[in-house]
């Protein structure tokens, strides 16, 4: 809970707001030039325009001189699967040879492969690799990360993944927001009994996860040959009854109507959306479902990018995420994420910044406390080596984050 003054930043890119921004609102970053930000006791206490006197005793504060540098809110990554055992480097070669992600999954690879390794891993091993991944993400400016279970697919291992995330949240500077994803795939022992597996999650897992408060949201992989729309509706409706927020992996590979279902159920977010229909996009805009786009996954799988431009023009709240996982996106590269979002999904740099700060905070129900530089919010900030946020997509693939501040303390 630190006290810090960041003085005379070339830009204070506030992204000001307390809820997700839709459509045209995403273009306005509310930049203060040559501004100063003060964090007191871990919370942003003052935003000063150029020349305004410092209203606190500087002796009680760490002072950073930020001339020539842009100051932004810490990045929020609202979709990852960062707790997992093992790796799947062979599958990368198979995909380059021409096998598709779904073919590999149908032949016993994919998520089920990682499930085997995650079941075998000890809690200590998952904690150690999870910690390393959080360290790497923080270097890239991420200060809050959502993480999903879903590589256990049995009672014990799902709880193990969620407990490791709780432990990391308590011990690491990163804030970790856990999501239960019991319906990520059907494990071998339930194959052919998908409906019964959904029932198992509803009857046994939801009450356990709710009781121990191990997750805030529940997610499902709604996809052709994974879980149907009807199964997703049943699972998510039951999750809501247990008090969870709802998330969906929707319309990733096949256009199934996932976006429409997310709107119908008023999900907090629908994620991927590469194949979302025009009607689905309109429905998400009307329902206020956050459309979380994952360009690193489309890139890795060589799939067409989600129609980010169309979604923003339709009035959607668009967020960005890395999807860090061992299969479809083994990367948390924020620099590449910004470049792909702008170059291939046709977001402007302003929209991309909004999508990875205040809108990604909205995707995990945190827009009231993080995701912007507003008085009263958590003091999670980052300084760039350059004077403008525009360098984020422009300096392709390069990490230009120089300093990361978490709750008012320098973390990187
Ligand atoms: O978001 N699509 C489903 N889930 C992950 C991939 C998980 C994996 O392949 O291990 C995703 O892309
Ligand atoms: Fe995912």
């Amino acid at each position: 809970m630190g006290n810090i003054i960041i003085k005379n930043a070339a830009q204070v890119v506030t992204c000001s707001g307390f809820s997700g921004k839709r459509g045209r609102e995403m273009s306005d970053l509310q930049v203060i030039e040559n501004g100063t930000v003060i964090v007191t006791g871990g919370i942003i206490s003052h935003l000063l325009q150029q020349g305004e006197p410092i209203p606190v005793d500087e002796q009680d504060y760490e002072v950073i001189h930020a001339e020539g540098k842009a100051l932004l809110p810490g990045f929020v990554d609202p979709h990852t699967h960062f707790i997992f055992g093992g790796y799947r480097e062979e599958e990368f070669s198979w995909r380059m040879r021409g096998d598709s992600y779904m073919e590999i999954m149908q032949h016993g690879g994919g998520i089920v492969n990682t499930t085997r390794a995650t079941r075998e891993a000890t809690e200590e091993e998952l904690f150690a690799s999870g910690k390393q991944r959080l360290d790497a993400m923080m270097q890239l400016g991420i200060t809050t990360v959502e993480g999903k279970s879903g590589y256990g697919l049995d009672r014990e291992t799902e709880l193990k993944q969620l407990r490791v995330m709780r432990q990391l949240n308590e011990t690491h500077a990163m804030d970790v927001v856990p999501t239960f994803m019991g319906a990520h795939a059907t494990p071998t022992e339930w194959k052919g009994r998908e409906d019964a597996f959904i029932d198992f999650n509803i009857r046994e897992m939801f009450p356990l996860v709710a009781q121990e408060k191990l997750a805030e949201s529940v997610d499902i992989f709604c996809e052709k040959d994974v879980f149907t729309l009807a199964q997703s509706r049943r699972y998510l409706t039951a999750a809501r009854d247990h008090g969870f927020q709802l998330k969906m992996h929707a319309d990733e590979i096949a256009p199934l109507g996932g976006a429409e279902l997310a709107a119908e159920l008023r999900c907090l977010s629908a994620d991927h959306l590469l194949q979302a229909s025009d009607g689905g996009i309109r429905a998400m805009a009307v329902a206020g479902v956050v459309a979380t786009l994952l360009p690193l996954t489309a890139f890795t799988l060589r799939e067409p990018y989600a129609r980010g431009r169309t979604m923003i023009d339709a009035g959607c709240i668009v967020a960005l995420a890395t999807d860090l996982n061992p299969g479809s996106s083994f990367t948390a590269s924020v620099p590449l994420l910004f470049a792909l979002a702008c170059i291939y999904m046709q977001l402007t740099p302003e929209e991309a910044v909004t999508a990875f700060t205040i809108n990604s905070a909205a995707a995990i129900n945190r827009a009231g406390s993080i995701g912007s530089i507003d008085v009263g919010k958590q003091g999670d900030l980052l300084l760039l080596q350059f004077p403008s946020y525009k360098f984020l997509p422009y300096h392709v693939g390069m990490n230009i984050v120089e300093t990361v501040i978490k709750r008012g303390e320098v973390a990187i």
Side-chain angles (χ1 to χ4, degrees), residues 79 81 88 91 101 110-112 114 148 151 181 184 221 223 249 252-253 272 294 297 301 323 325-329:
H79 181 144
H81 311 248
R88 309 214 307 263
E91 292 181 11
Y101 178 76
I111 294 166
V112 171
T114 297
K148 303 178 196 295
Y151 289 128
M181 197 171 180
H184 196 192
F221 190 8
E223 184 65 53
H249 283 57
E252 178 181 357
I253 311 288
H272 286 290
L294 314 164
T297 311
L301 298 183
D323 197 20
N325 75 74
S328 64
S329 175

Side-chain angles (χ1 to χ4, degrees), residues 157-173:
T157 319
E158 285 293 308
L159 295 178
K160 179 169 74 177
Q161 277 194 280
L162 292 170
R163 288 190 186 121
V164 167
M165 282 193 265
R166 170 176 284 178
Q167 226 187 324
L168 283 166
N169 183 47
E170 286 166 358
T171 54
H172 199 283

